[in-house]
Amino acid sequence: MRTEKTIIITGGAGFIGSHVVRHFVTRYPQYTIINLDKLTYAGNLANLRDIEEKENYKFIKGDIIDAAFIDRLFAEQKPDAVIHLAAESHVDRSISSPVEFVMTNVVGTVNLLNAAKACWKGVYDKCRFYHVSTDEVYGALTGDGMFTEETRYDPHSPYSASKASSDHFVRAYRDTFGMDIVISNCSNNYGSFHFPEKLIPLAINNIKNSKPVPVYGKGENIRDWLWVEDHVKAIDLIFHNAKAGTTYNVGGHNEWKNIDLIRLLCNIMDRKLSRVPGTSAQLITFVKDRAGHDLRYAINATKLQQELGWKPSLQFEEGLEKTVDWYLANEEWLDQVTSGAYQKYYSDQYSES
Ligand code: NAD
Ligand code: DAU
C-alpha cells in the first residue's frame, strides 16, 4: 500500500541517521521510511532494533557510490523525498584516507542527486532533497565571532572539503535544474549510539576501562556541542517547513574547550562508577595534535530559531550525564563496536602518541 510519502534516509544505520530514522518512523506512521545504508564500520543495525519491525520501516543495504544501483533503487521505490546523511564522517580517517571521503561524500551525493533528478522530472516542486551537512565547511574561528549562513566556505580537512564540495553540488542542482533542495549545517552532536572513534564516546569507553584518554595538543580547541535529538528536531522542522533552496545553521550555543569537557566528563564518570573524585582525570593524556586542527567552531542558529521556532532543549551537563548513563547501560553495544576492526584503527591512530 502506498503511504502519504516515501522518504529515503541515507546513512540511517549511523549515529545521527539512526536517531533520524527512529524519529520519522515513530512520529510519522503515515510515511514509509527507507533506510539506505552500506553498513560501513560506522553503520550498525543494532542502533535500530527497537523499530526494525515497524510496518512503515524498510532497510536496504547499498552503496551510494554505485550509480547504477542508486538509479534502480529510485526507479523502483519512487521516493518523494531524500534526507541524506550517509557519509564518511571522521576527520582523523579523512587525513589518512582522503579518497574514500571524495567517493562517498562527493560522488555518492552527486549519484543521489542524479537519481532524484531523473525520478522527480516534472514534479520537482513536490519532491525534496535534504542534505545534512556540517559547520566544518566554514573553517575555523579565531576571534569571538560565530558562523552564520552567510559565512564564506573555508574547509581545512579532507573531510570538511568533501562536505563543502557536496554542499556546492546540492546547491548547483537547484540553480541548474530547479530541484527543491534544503541544507543544514550543524555543530558537533553527542548522545547515544555515537561511534567511539569520536571524542565523547571514546573518552567514556576509555575512562570506563581505565585506559588513557587522548587529548590532542593542549586541549585548547573549542567545539559547540548539541544533543543529537535536538538536531533531529531541527531536521524535522527544516524538512517540513523550509522554503526550497534554504540553508539553516544548527548549533547548541554550547562551546566547550576540549580539556574542560573531558574534565567534566571525568567528574561525571567518577560519580557514576563510585570512584574517588579525581581518579578518572588522572587518565588524561596529552597526545600529538591533529594535523590542520581547527581551533574553534561556534554556530549562530538565530535564523532557525526565528524562522522555524527551534531551540535546543537540553543543558549540556544534563545531556552528558544522560549520555554516560546510556553507555554504562549498553555495555554489549559498546563491546560489539569496539571489537575487531576498531582495535586496529585505535592502535594505528594513537600509536605515535
Ligand atoms: P556516522 O559515521 O555515524 O554514520 C554514517 C553512516 O553512513 C553509516 O551508517 C555508514 O554505514 C553510512 N555510509 C557510509 N558510506 C556509505 C556509502 N558509500 N553508501 C551508503 N551508506 C554509507 O555519521 P554521523 O556522525 O551520524 O553523521 C551523519 C551525517 O551528519 C554526515 O553527513 C555528517 O557529515 C553530518 N554531520 C555530523 C555531525 C556529528 O557531530 N556527528 C555534525 C554535523 C553534521
Ligand atoms: O562540527 C561537526 C563535526 O563534528 C562533524 O561534521 C563530524 O562528522 C564529527 O566527527 C565532528 O568532528 P570533530 O572533529 O569536531 O569531532 P571529534 O569527536 O573527532 O573531535 C572533537 C574534538 O576533540 C576535536 O577538537 C578533536 C579532539 N579530539 C578528538 C579525538 C577523537 C581529541 O582531543 N582526542 C581524540 O582522541
Side-chain angles (χ1 to χ4, degrees):
M1 196 189 68
R2 184 96 189 147
T3 49
E4 191 181 302
K5 238 188 229 311
T6 295
I7 307 174
I8 291 183
I9 298 181
T10 71
F15 164 47
I16 302 173
S18 61
H19 285 277
V20 175
V21 165
R22 175 176 299 99
H23 175 89
F24 274 79
V25 165
T26 49
R27 177 132 196 225
Y28 300 106
Q30 71 274 31
Y31 296 170
T32 296
I33 302 299
I34 298 174
N35 172 10
L36 166 64
D37 199 295
K38 180 181 176 179
L39 299 182
T40 67
Y41 78 93
N44 187 353
L45 289 179
N47 298 359
L48 290 163
R49 284 284 175 260
D50 55 328
I51 57 114
E52 67 189 0
E53 300 295 334
K54 297 269 188 197
E55 266 180 32
N56 64 333
Y57 171 70
K58 196 188 304 185
F59 170 68
I60 296 179
K61 184 170 178 193
D63 190 338
I64 59 170
I65 298 173
D66 182 346
F69 162 76
I70 294 296
D71 289 346
R72 251 190 343 266
L73 179 78
F74 274 67
E76 281 163 20
Q77 302 294 336
K78 301 186 175 47
D80 305 284
V82 173
I83 304 178
H84 176 35
L85 294 110
E88 288 294 338
S89 69
H90 191 39
V91 174
D92 292 325
R93 292 185 193 251
S94 81
I95 295 167
S96 45
S97 315
V99 174
E100 281 176 36
F101 284 68
V102 177
M103 292 311 293
T104 289
N105 299 359
V106 185
V107 177
T109 299
V110 176
N111 286 340
L112 287 166
L113 286 164
N114 280 337
K117 177 162 91 62
C119 181
W120 298 341
K121 204 163 182 211
V123 286
Y124 284 169
D125 55 328
K126 294 194 180 63
C127 301
R128 168 153 282 186
F129 192 101
Y130 183 160
H131 180 57
V132 176
S133 192
T134 172
D135 60 358
E136 299 202 11
V137 299
Y138 299 124
L141 294 161
T142 45
D144 288 339
M146 292 180 133
F147 299 133
T148 72
E149 289 80 0
E150 312 310 321
T151 303
R152 192 175 73 88
Y153 275 31
D154 184 21
H156 298 140
S157 72
Y159 163 69
S160 53
S162 68
K163 290 296 291 188
S165 173
S166 64
D167 291 11
H168 291 318
F169 270 104
V170 173
R171 292 198 181 97
Y173 272 61
R174 169 149 188 85
D175 296 343
T176 311
F177 305 111
M179 281 172 66
D180 175 333
I181 63 96
V182 287
I183 300 181
S184 55
N185 296 85
C186 188
S187 64
N188 288 62
N189 287 213
Y190 71 98
S192 53
F193 301 111
H194 202 182
F195 192 80
E197 63 186 349
K198 311 280 166 61
L199 181 67
I200 290 179
L202 183 146
I204 293 174
N205 187 41
N206 287 15
I207 296 169
K208 176 171 160 286
N209 294 306
S210 297
K211 282 178 53 180
V213 178
V215 174
Y216 295 161
K218 295 186 176 139
E220 298 283 319
N221 303 68
I222 295 171
R223 296 292 181 266
D224 174 359
W225 294 93
L226 179 68
W227 175 243
V228 63
E229 290 177 28
D230 282 329
H231 186 189
V232 172
K233 283 182 196 145
I235 290 174
D236 182 338
L237 277 173
I238 294 166
F239 176 75
H240 285 105
N241 301 296
K243 282 205 210 98
T246 318
T247 295
Y248 286 99
N249 279 355
V250 189
H253 270 296
N254 178 43
E255 290 178 56
W256 283 80
K257 250 187 210 170
N258 291 340
I259 187 63
D260 295 339
L261 186 161
I262 292 298
R263 289 209 174 102
L264 172 65
L265 189 58
C266 286
N267 292 343
I268 296 174
M269 291 292 283
D270 281 345
R271 198 156 30 81
K272 298 283 175 189
L273 298 170
S274 307
R275 289 179 180 167
V276 174
T279 306
S280 300
Q282 287 170 15
L283 298 167
I284 295 173
T285 308
F286 293 97
V287 300
K288 193 170 118 217
D289 207 354
R290 173 182 279 172
H293 198 171
D294 285 336
L295 182 62
R296 173 176 167 247
Y297 304 143
I299 281 280
N300 179 337
T302 309
K303 180 178 173 188
L304 180 60
Q305 197 157 357
Q306 288 183 346
E307 292 186 5
L308 302 185
W310 175 88
K311 62 176 183 330
S313 69
L314 267 194
Q315 289 298 313
F316 188 54
E317 284 82 348
E318 188 189 349
L320 200 56
E321 188 141 345
K322 276 170 86 127
T323 303
V324 168
D325 287 341
W326 186 86
Y327 280 92
L328 294 180
N330 287 275
E331 283 194 323
E332 207 181 309
W333 184 92
L334 198 51
D335 290 346
Q336 186 238 319
V337 300
T338 53
S339 62
Y342 180 82
Q343 297 298 329
K344 167 138 178 46
Y345 163 76
Y346 196 93
S347 64
D348 289 352
Q349 175 64 24
Y350 295 97
S351 60
E352 282 180 51
S353 305

